[in-house]
Each structure stands twice: as C-alpha cells, then as structure tokens.
Amino acid sequence: MAEAFRGEIYQKVDAKARVSIPAAFRAILAADDPLASNTQRPRVYMVYGGKKRVFVECYSKFGADKLAEDINSMEDGSDARIKAELNLMTRSIMVEIEPDGRIVLPPDVRKKIGLAGEIPEKSEVVFAGLSNRFRLYRRDVYDALFGDDEEDDDVDPLTLVGRHKRTG
C-alpha cells in the first residue's frame, strides 16, 4: 500500500446515486491498482456483507487481494471461513472509478447504507479512512455513531496504540 486512507470526508450523493471519491483516496486506489496506469480507472472493492454492519468496507486492489489471501489461509470448509467468504467475498463488488472521479453506488451498496430506492435530495455519505481501507456511511448514521465520541471516556486514544497487536 502506497499511503494510508486518512480522514473523514463528506460527499454529496446525487439523484442518480453518483458520488465523488475523495481525491486523496483516489490516489491511493490508483497506486494500489496495477491496471490503473493503463486504464486511468482505478478500482475500488466494496464489501457490503455482514448483517450488523451499517457501512460498506472499501478496499484498494492490493487490500482486496490481501483480504482474499487471509481468507484463503483459513481452514477449508470451516464455519469461520464459510462466513468470511460469504460476507467478505460473495457480498462484495468491484467498481471502476470514472475519469471524473465519481462512481455510481451499486444497488446492494445503496441498500446496505440505507440509500435504496429514490435518493433524497441533499443526501450525503462519509468516507472514513481506516489506514488500509475506508468505510462508507450514510452521513446521519455516521454522525449518530461518532458525532460525540470525544465524550465517551477519559482514555487518550494514542495510549491504546501498540497495546493490542495482532498475533499470527
């Protein structure tokens, strides 16, 4: 991965379900996609699986390949692998970014974030950077979840970094 997805960026969604991918995110998606230099159309992999999720998890080509590799390393036929394959591979879609930087949100993605059917005027989504991926939320859902997170507790988030490292 060339760079990390950072920040929370608010973007409008038009009546045709088109949204602009933030420029900084497009640059990362292009850098992580070997075909993008030929086509000028980087790809974003949008995962809409997971019943309890109110967001869509988005990966670059490199990130999607890493996710698939991690799933492939799981025990064949195990309940965990079957669940991971269904929710992270089957319930996902690859979308090419148009030369103007926009995508049309696919129907399953719109349904997942609560923009199914006719899209209300002034609809917005939030692109929330998470280092190696980003999440796409409907703005009101994101604001309800994280709008007042400064009040949650007295722990400085920086003190948590390094405490919970992955194993294996």
Side-chain angles (χ1 to χ4, degrees), residues 59 63-75 81 84 88-89 132 166 168:
Y59 294 88
D65 288 349
K66 176 71 172 104
L67 177 63
E69 182 182 307
D70 290 347
I71 292 170
N72 285 334
S73 72
M74 298 170 75
E75 182 182 342
R81 180 170 175 164
L88 303 174
M89 301 300 291
N132 67 339
R166 280 189 256 176

Side-chain angles (χ1 to χ4, degrees), residues 90-126:
T90 303
R91 293 183 178 143
S92 69
I93 189 166
M94 183 273 294
V95 179
E96 287 186 345
I97 300 172
E98 297 293 330
D100 66 1
R102 294 189 302 182
I103 62 169
V104 175
L105 296 173
D108 288 327
V109 168
R110 291 195 310 264
K111 181 178 176 184
K112 183 65 177 182
I113 62 173
L115 286 176
E118 189 174 326
I119 297 174
E121 194 174 321
K122 298 184 181 179
S123 290
E124 282 187 290
V125 293
V126 179

Side-chain angles (χ1 to χ4, degrees), residues 136-148:
L136 185 65
Y137 292 86
R138 200 176 70 215
R139 182 177 182 158
D140 61 319
V141 171
Y142 181 82
D143 289 346
L145 289 170
F146 304 111
D148 291 329

Side-chain angles (χ1 to χ4, degrees), residues 1 3-5 58-60 63 66 130-134 166:
M1 187 168 82
E3 182 64 65
F5 293 104
C58 301
Y59 294 88
S60 67
K66 176 71 172 104
L130 298 170
S131 186
N132 67 339
R133 65 197 187 288
F134 61 92
R166 280 189 256 176

Side-chain angles (χ1 to χ4, degrees), residues 22-110:
F25 287 17
R26 285 196 315 267
I28 296 167
L29 293 167
D32 282 0
D33 188 342
L35 291 180
S37 60
N38 297 334
T39 65
Q40 303 304 311
R41 294 178 63 139
R43 297 168 285 181
V44 59
Y45 293 77
M46 306 179 88
V47 177
Y48 56 86
K51 290 180 183 178
K52 295 181 181 179
R53 293 174 166 214
V54 294
F55 55 84
V56 171
E57 199 98 43
C58 301
Y59 294 88
S60 67
K61 170 69 171 134
F62 176 81
D65 288 349
K66 176 71 172 104
L67 177 63
E69 182 182 307
D70 290 347
I71 292 170
N72 285 334
S73 72
M74 298 170 75
E75 182 182 342
D76 278 335
S78 69
D79 288 343
R81 180 170 175 164
I82 291 168
K83 185 175 184 174
E85 286 173 328
L86 177 64
N87 286 291
L88 303 174
M89 301 300 291
T90 303
R91 293 183 178 143
S92 69
I93 189 166
M94 183 273 294
V95 179
E96 287 186 345
I97 300 172
E98 297 293 330
D100 66 1
R102 294 189 302 182
I103 62 169
V104 175
L105 296 173
D108 288 327
V109 168
R110 291 195 310 264

